Amino acid sequence: MNYIVLDLEWNQGTNRKYQEKPDLPFEIVEIGAIKLNEACELIDTFHAIVKPTVYLEINSHIEQITHVSIEDLESGINFKQAACSFLDWCGTNYRFCTWGSMDLTELQRNMTYFQLKQTLEKPLFYYNIQKLYSICYSDGKSRISLQNAVDTLNIDKVIPFHRADADTYYTALIMQTLNMEKVKKYISVDYYHAPTSHKEEIYLTFDTYSKYVSRTFDTKEEAMTDKGVTTTSCYLCRKNIKKKIRWFSYNNHTYYSLMYCNIHGWVKGKIRIKKTDTGKLFAIKTLKITDEEGAQQVYQWQEEVRERRRNKRKGNELNT
């Protein structure tokens, strides 16, 4: 299997004529990719400039970061041609690698908008090199910029950042410093195409946590009453464990819970409610072994929620 190191640059609406379109907040204007073999050796490169058809002015923030003008894009090809050429170039046996989690979502969103057939696998697994870098060189939780990672590894900066071909070059160099055999089990999944049935739901188990991605629901209440979403078990011994703190809403989109396994100790649960482009909702449940400090953090969050509710009730009483 080859690695396809991918980076995209995109444009977005301005405050003037070209306002943001909800179904295409970011229009891809550049595709850069590097193909590596399993030993992370360079095989080939791909680069395409895409002529915009939706946002015909460069957003000032994008222009400042990329130093790309609308004139630079006039010689580009249309997105359909660029995307089809890119996917043909990828071949048939590969895994995407990106710095961060946005590129594949935006690639698929652009494919949908421009009515390209969705030929990518579903679910779409990939390697988030930003996350793998953190696992190898930091705490596994923190996320730093590509440029900071390059500086930390003392990689020579021979070309400017924030262009698709440059950022894939640096990402590939960072990959070559990683022990991919050790970290490639920490695969990521893109959520653009959420599961639509029980059969499509995703279950992933790693050394230090587990992840479950539910099918879609019409409402948040429907999701949070589904047994598949709220049921908890220790992902190490597979035994059902009793909740010490039931699922509670910390904000509109995040829920927490706390369990205790007699074998492996405290287990912290987190559910994030996400929305698809079609307005459907799905849940991402993460379970993770934690320590006494982590358990106390959940108790503290629960008390914060209770305090907010008490203050809200007091405010309502004063207003009546």
Side-chain angles (χ1 to χ4, degrees):
M1 176 179 289
N2 293 324
Y3 298 121
I4 303 296
V5 185
L6 172 67
D7 186 78
L8 304 172
E9 300 297 336
W10 48 67
N11 188 26
Q12 61 191 94
T14 66
N15 293 324
R16 292 174 290 178
K17 183 177 179 180
Y18 301 101
Q19 299 297 321
E20 179 181 298
K21 292 182 176 292
D23 51 348
L24 190 73
F26 305 111
E27 181 181 15
I28 293 171
V29 295
E30 187 178 20
I31 302 173
I34 291 178
K35 185 181 295 184
L36 305 175
N37 62 20
E38 287 190 274
C40 288
E41 297 168 332
L42 176 67
I43 297 176
D44 200 2
T45 62
F46 179 92
H47 182 251
I49 297 293
V50 180
K51 184 177 181 179
T53 60
V54 178
Y55 302 119
L56 302 183
E57 292 181 1
I58 293 291
N59 180 283
S60 58
H61 178 67
I62 300 297
E63 186 173 15
Q64 182 179 5
I65 293 175
T66 63
H67 303 291
V68 171
S69 67
I70 196 66
E71 290 75 22
D72 295 327
L73 304 177
E74 286 299 319
S75 61
I77 57 179
N78 65 62
F79 175 77
K80 282 188 177 182
Q81 183 180 353
C84 289
S85 296
F86 168 63
L87 294 175
D88 287 342
W89 173 86
C90 287
T92 57
N93 188 24
Y94 63 89
R95 182 74 68 205
F96 283 120
C97 304
T98 62
W99 189 267
S101 59
M102 288 186 65
D103 290 86
L104 290 173
T105 296
E106 297 311 322
L107 175 62
Q108 293 172 94
R109 183 173 283 129
N110 274 251
M111 291 173 68
T112 298
Y113 184 87
F114 290 107
Q115 300 180 338
L116 266 72
K117 182 179 179 181
Q118 295 286 347
T119 57
L120 301 179
E121 67 176 355
K122 183 182 176 183
L124 181 55
F125 294 107
Y126 70 102
Y127 291 116
N128 182 342
I129 306 305
Q130 186 183 46
K131 179 176 78 173
L132 300 188
Y133 171 89
S134 182
I135 291 171
C136 288
Y137 295 111
S138 186
D139 57 6
K141 301 177 183 178
S142 58
R143 301 289 184 265
I144 67 173
S145 70
L146 179 62
Q147 186 167 347
N148 284 342
V150 167
D151 289 337
T152 301
L153 295 175
N154 295 315
I155 294 172
D156 290 336
K157 292 181 283 188
V158 296
I159 47 179
F161 288 86
H162 306 303
R163 291 297 301 268
D165 52 350
D167 288 359
T168 55
Y169 168 76
Y170 290 120
T171 303
L173 290 181
I174 291 173
M175 281 186 65
Q176 291 174 343
T177 74
L178 306 180
N179 184 342
M180 287 300 294
E181 285 302 312
K182 179 180 178 180
V183 299
K184 68 181 183 181
K185 60 186 174 183
Y186 294 103
I187 200 161
S188 297
V189 59
D190 181 81
Y191 301 128
Y192 179 73
H193 288 292
T196 57
S197 65
H198 279 296
K199 186 178 180 180
E200 293 181 356
E201 290 180 328
I202 301 168
Y203 299 84
L204 298 172
T205 301
F206 305 98
D207 292 343
T208 56
Y209 68 97
S210 68
K211 180 175 289 187
Y212 158 79
V213 184
S214 79
R215 68 193 186 281
T216 53
F217 299 93
D218 291 325
T219 66
K220 182 169 57 177
E221 291 71 24
E222 185 183 354
M224 290 306 299
T225 55
D226 182 81
K227 288 185 177 181
V229 173
T230 58
T231 297
T232 55
S233 61
C234 177
Y235 58 90
L236 294 178
C237 62
R238 304 294 183 182
K239 293 183 178 179
N240 289 330
I241 47 180
K242 189 175 181 180
K243 297 182 183 70
K244 297 294 184 179
I245 298 179
R246 295 183 179 276
W247 293 106
F248 66 94
S249 174
Y250 187 74
N251 55 42
N252 288 332
H253 308 290
T254 306
Y255 295 78
Y256 288 103
S257 181
L258 185 67
M259 293 71 67
Y260 189 83
C261 173
N262 290 330
I263 300 175
H264 297 101
W266 292 107
V267 180
K268 181 168 65 175
K270 179 180 180 180
I271 293 175
R272 290 175 293 157
I273 303 297
K274 297 281 190 178
K275 181 181 287 188
T276 70
D277 281 5
T278 60
K280 292 281 190 176
L281 301 176
F282 65 100
I284 304 170
K285 177 173 65 180
T286 304
L287 301 178
K288 186 174 185 177
I289 300 294
T290 190
D291 54 15
E292 185 67 33
E293 183 180 353
Q296 289 303 314
Q297 178 74 80
V298 180
Y299 278 107
Q300 181 179 333
W301 288 335
Q302 184 188 47
E303 183 55 35
E304 288 176 10
V305 170
R306 289 173 173 170
E307 183 65 21
R308 289 201 299 264
R309 290 173 179 170
R310 285 193 290 266
N311 291 336
K312 184 177 181 179
R313 284 197 298 269
K314 290 179 181 179
N316 291 337
E317 290 171 1
L318 291 173
N319 291 328
T320 58

